[in-house]
């Protein structure tokens, strides 16, 4: 059973998606199958996480019996399983919310199989041990997300989708070109094998300097491809141009998971493949992350639409994630292993926290849209008096995003700030603290305009497209309240999860266990011995 566990988070949603096509004419049947499949994914993710923790080392499976580096390798290490668990948690809540928020027309147009396909691709990207198969999962993710973002065919959706798919196709072009150059250099695309072969190339005295410069240049092509996926500056503008256009439940799963795949890809690829000049490459990533934090939060501060504010803040928070990775990577290379591990652990914890909190804020915006017909803050007001539970949930989640003690965001930012100060990145940390203040400003602006102030009497606002029944509102509110509670629990019970993040961070930097799990013959191998 342990041998196939790394495949299960991919096989479960994929099987669910296939099964859904056979009942595509029955919405109740689709809902039942989708719910069973998503709950099963949660159980599988939990079992996989427990197995990796008990094993104390990554679990790897070679599909088809072809040993690495020839076969398709799936690897579940501590970092991957944390993100697979996040995917399962996000997937279940969003699915329940969708049952209350989506109209029957969109559900009948293939939402459920497309959603399961998207979850399949996300899990596949987290678990793959091969950079070409990461590209394959990216393309599956792009295809399913593009159809989801256009589901319903409204003009605003199509406009946002064009920007979304254009930039992401450019990302795919960068990615595929970089893969071709990398294969031409190393003759392999397996992460573990790449690490060994490129270390040998870089270790050749006569070619060391030339090979390091070439690999660093090639890494910039990968950074461009992954940076678009992650919405890193200067590639971010597709995100605020598209995330406010689809139904909020679709934007929520995008905000909760998709940018995280880009961030994960940067972490995995640069630590496994391009670790020849971490001070230079890490410095580039740190500079882009710092500008991302500023550009995202300044964009959010200028907006007066609930969902546009959240979209710009997604850019800002990607900057936080990559700031922690860059600081940690450079510190580890500089011999500051403890502080480097802390910085990356802060990033991993931030990813988990942000996946829950930002997704939940988009879900809250969907409830506001369902109740009031708009997310324009100038046309909203009085929601605290009308719906105190919804206002409370928003307030808790917004404060978690801003990093108010003792909520989840506070601990993530505290780890990043401490790591930055101990490594001397005072300017970057100053920017991050300034960005935190502006994040709090944006969240209080939403609170003041939508929830606290009285409803404007002289402003016309559209009526909701459809009146929600109490049952629909209940399906929408239940996951929103659950995720707000989870944000509190992540803050109050920070210790166990942060310990796991520390273990994951150490495993990313000290990747011998990952390589051993994929190919036990670390010192070299005879290709003929690996053929089945």
């Amino acid at each position: 059973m342990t041998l196939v566990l790394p495949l299960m988070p991919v096989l479960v949603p994929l099987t669910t998606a296939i099964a859904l096509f056979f009942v595509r004419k029955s919405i109740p049947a689709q809902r039942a199958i989708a719910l069973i499949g998503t709950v099963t994914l949660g159980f599988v993710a939990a079992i996989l996480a427990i197995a990796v923790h008990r094993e104390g080392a990554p679990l790897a499976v070679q599909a088809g019996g072809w040993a690495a580096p020839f076969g398709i390798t799936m690897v579940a290490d501590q970092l991957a399983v944390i993100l697979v668990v996040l995917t399962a948690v996000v997937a279940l809540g969003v699915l329940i919310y969708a049952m209350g928020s989506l109209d029957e027309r969109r559900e009948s147009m293939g939402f459920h199989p497309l959603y399961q396909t998207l979850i399949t691709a996300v899990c596949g990207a987290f678990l793959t041990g091969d950079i070409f198969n990461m590209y394959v999962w990216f393309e599956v993710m792009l295809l399913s997300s593009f159809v989801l973002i256009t589901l319903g065919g409204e003009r605003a959706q199509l406009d946002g989708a064009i920007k979304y798919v254009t930039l992401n196709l450019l990302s795919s072009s960068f990615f595929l070109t970089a893969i071709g150059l990398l294969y031409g250099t190393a003759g392999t695309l397996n992460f573990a094998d790449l690490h060994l072969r490129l270390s040998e190339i870089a270790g050749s005295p006569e070619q060391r300097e030339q090979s390091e410069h070439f690999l660093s240049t090639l890494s910039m092509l990968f950074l461009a491809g992954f940076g678009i996926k992650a919405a890193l500056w200067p590639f971010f503008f597709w995100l605020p141009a598209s995330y406010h256009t689809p139904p909020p439940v679709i934007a929520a799963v995008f905000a909760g998971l998709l940018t995280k795949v880009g961030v994960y890809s940067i972490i995995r690829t640069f630590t496994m493949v391009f670790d020849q000049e971490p001070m230079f490459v890490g410095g580039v990533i740190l500079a882009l992350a710092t500008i991302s934090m500023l550009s995202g939060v300044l964009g959010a501060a200028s907006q007066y639409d609930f969902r546009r504010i959240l979209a710009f803040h997604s850019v800002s928070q990607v900057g936080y994630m990559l700031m922690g990775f860059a600081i940690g990577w450079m510190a580890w290379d500089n011999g500051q292993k403890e502080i480097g591990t802390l910085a990356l652990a802060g990033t991993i914890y931030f990813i988990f926290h942000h996946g829950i909190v930002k997704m939940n804020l988009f879900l809250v915006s969907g409830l506001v849209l369902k109740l009031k017909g708009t997310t324009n803050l100038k046309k909203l007001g009085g929601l605290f008096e009308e719906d105190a539970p919804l206002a409370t949930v928003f307030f808790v989640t917004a404060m978690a995003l801003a990093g108010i003690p003792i909520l989840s965001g506070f601990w993530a930012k505290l780890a990043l700030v401490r790591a930055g100060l101990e490594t001397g990145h005072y300017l970057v940390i100053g920017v991050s603290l300034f960005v935190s203040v502006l994040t709090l400003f944006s969240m209080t602006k939403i609170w003041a305009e939508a929830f606290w102030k009285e409803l404007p009497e002289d402003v016309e606002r559209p009526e909701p497209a459809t009146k929600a029944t109490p049952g629909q509102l209940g399906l929408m509110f239940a996951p929103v309240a659950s995720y707000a509670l989870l944000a509190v629990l992540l803050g109050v019970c920070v210790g166990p999860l942060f310990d796991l993040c520390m273990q994951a961070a150490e495993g990313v930097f000290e990747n011998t266990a990952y390589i051993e799990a994929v190919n036990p013959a670390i010192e070299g191998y005879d290709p003929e011995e690996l053929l089945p």
Side-chain angles (χ1 to χ4, degrees):
M1 180 63 180
T2 303
L3 294 177
V4 299
L5 269 178
L7 285 173
M8 296 306 292
V10 175
L11 294 178
V12 168
L14 179 60
T15 304
T16 305
I18 294 171
L20 285 165
F21 279 106
F22 293 98
V23 293
R24 59 186 180 276
K25 294 184 179 180
S26 172
I27 291 177
Q30 286 195 61
R31 288 183 172 188
I33 292 174
L35 186 59
I36 292 169
T38 307
V39 170
T40 304
L41 173 63
F43 281 115
V44 166
I47 293 169
L48 179 61
I50 293 169
V52 170
H53 183 68
R54 286 182 176 174
E55 189 76 17
L59 300 177
V61 59
Q62 313 292 345
W66 289 80
F70 303 104
I72 296 175
T73 304
M74 304 296 283
V75 188
D77 66 344
Q78 196 73 263
L79 173 59
V81 297
I82 287 173
L83 297 179
V84 168
V85 169
L86 171 64
T87 303
V89 172
V90 167
L92 180 59
V94 168
L95 177 64
I96 294 171
Y97 186 99
M99 293 178 184
S101 66
L102 284 182
D103 56 89
E104 287 191 7
R105 186 171 70 94
R106 281 191 170 94
E107 281 195 89
S108 64
M109 291 171 69
F111 168 78
H112 290 290
L114 286 166
Y115 180 62
Q116 295 296 324
T117 304
L118 179 67
I119 299 303
T120 301
V122 171
C123 290
F126 289 146
L127 291 167
T128 184
D130 180 287
I131 201 164
F132 181 76
N133 286 299
M134 180 179 282
Y135 167 79
V136 172
W137 290 122
F138 269 40
E139 293 308 291
V140 176
M141 189 169 65
L142 175 61
L143 179 61
S144 53
S145 61
F146 175 68
V147 180
L148 282 171
I149 207 172
T150 59
L151 209 61
E154 296 177 5
R155 183 171 181 175
Q157 288 180 258
L158 297 175
D159 179 65
I162 289 171
K163 298 168 185 173
Y164 174 82
V165 77
T166 300
L167 264 295
N168 278 275
L169 285 175
L170 180 62
S171 168
S172 298
S173 300
F174 286 152
F175 193 5
L176 192 57
T177 302
I179 286 173
L181 291 170
L182 182 61
Y183 185 74
T185 301
T188 184
L189 292 173
N190 181 279
F191 279 122
D193 201 35
L194 278 168
H195 182 82
L196 297 173
R197 294 199 181 196
L198 294 181
S199 295
E200 292 171 1
I201 293 172
S204 175
E206 64 276 10
Q207 296 181 345
R208 182 178 181 86
E209 185 175 352
Q210 182 180 0
S211 64
E212 284 185 352
H213 290 334
F214 171 75
L215 291 172
S216 296
T217 303
L218 180 57
S219 73
M220 293 298 102
L221 194 54
F222 275 100
L223 183 60
F226 294 145
I228 294 174
K229 300 290 186 185
L232 180 67
W233 187 91
F235 312 109
F236 70 88
F237 52 85
W238 62 267
L239 192 154
S242 59
Y243 269 28
H244 68 286
T245 59
V249 67
I250 293 174
V253 73
F254 285 10
L257 296 177
L258 297 198
T259 53
K260 313 304 182 294
V261 177
V263 173
Y264 167 82
S265 301
I266 291 173
I267 294 172
R268 179 68 74 196
T269 303
F270 280 77
T271 53
M272 288 296 296
V273 182
F274 299 110
D275 61 346
Q276 294 79 25
E277 294 184 335
M279 298 305 290
F280 166 71
V281 178
V284 172
I285 295 174
L286 184 60
L288 296 180
T290 304
I291 301 172
S292 293
M293 286 190 288
L294 268 177
S295 56
V297 81
L298 292 175
S302 66
Q303 299 297 315
Y304 261 85
D305 181 88
F306 198 151
R307 290 189 289 171
R308 283 182 179 270
I309 291 172
L310 297 179
F312 272 103
H313 272 301
S314 292
V315 176
S316 176
Q317 279 119 29
V318 165
Y320 272 103
M321 298 170 202
L322 290 175
M323 175 191 80
F325 165 63
I327 290 173
W329 193 26
M330 291 188 289
W332 183 276
D333 182 66
N334 200 36
Q336 299 172 281
K337 294 191 174 183
E338 184 177 345
I339 201 66
T341 303
L342 175 67
L344 184 54
T347 287
I348 297 168
Y349 188 85
F350 197 104
I351 291 172
F352 197 94
H353 137 82
H354 185 263
I356 299 297
V357 168
K358 178 52 66 71
M359 173 203 61
N360 206 37
L361 287 171
F362 270 102
L363 297 181
V364 171
S365 75
L367 270 165
V368 172
L369 182 64
K370 180 70 76 172
L371 292 169
K372 301 300 178 183
T374 183
T375 53
N376 187 326
L377 298 181
K378 294 181 179 179
K379 297 181 180 180
L380 291 171
L383 280 170
F384 177 75
E385 187 175 342
E386 292 181 32
D387 197 333
L390 177 61
T392 302
V393 164
F394 167 78
F395 185 80
V396 170
T397 311
M399 293 303 101
L401 184 75
I404 299 299
I406 54 174
L407 299 170
S408 56
F410 170 75
W411 302 110
K413 291 182 179 181
L414 179 63
L416 298 179
V417 168
R418 180 188 165 192
L421 291 176
E422 294 205 21
T423 52
H425 294 93
Y426 303 117
L427 177 60
V428 174
I429 296 306
V431 170
S432 72
L433 294 174
F434 173 70
V435 169
S436 287
V437 173
L438 286 185
T439 302
L440 180 60
F441 164 76
S442 297
M443 294 301 103
T444 53
K445 179 169 73 173
I446 296 174
W447 170 260
E449 293 291 327
F451 293 90
W452 193 251
K453 78 177 184 187
E454 293 185 0
L455 179 66
E457 296 180 359
D458 57 341
V459 174
E460 291 186 8
R461 65 183 181 193
E463 288 294 320
T466 57
K467 292 289 185 182
T469 66
Q472 289 175 321
L473 292 176
L475 284 172
M476 295 171 70
F477 185 76
V480 167
S482 299
Y483 288 132
L485 178 61
L486 182 57
V488 176
L489 292 175
L490 287 174
V492 174
C493 307
V494 62
L497 179 58
F498 203 86
D499 287 343
L500 292 176
C501 293
M502 289 289 287
Q503 295 171 24
E506 187 174 358
V508 168
F509 287 135
E510 190 62 64
N511 46 35
T512 303
Y514 185 102
I515 296 169
E516 285 182 329
V518 175
N519 175 23
I522 292 183
E523 299 302 326
Y525 53 82
D526 179 358
E528 293 186 1
E529 293 179 0
L530 299 177
L531 295 174

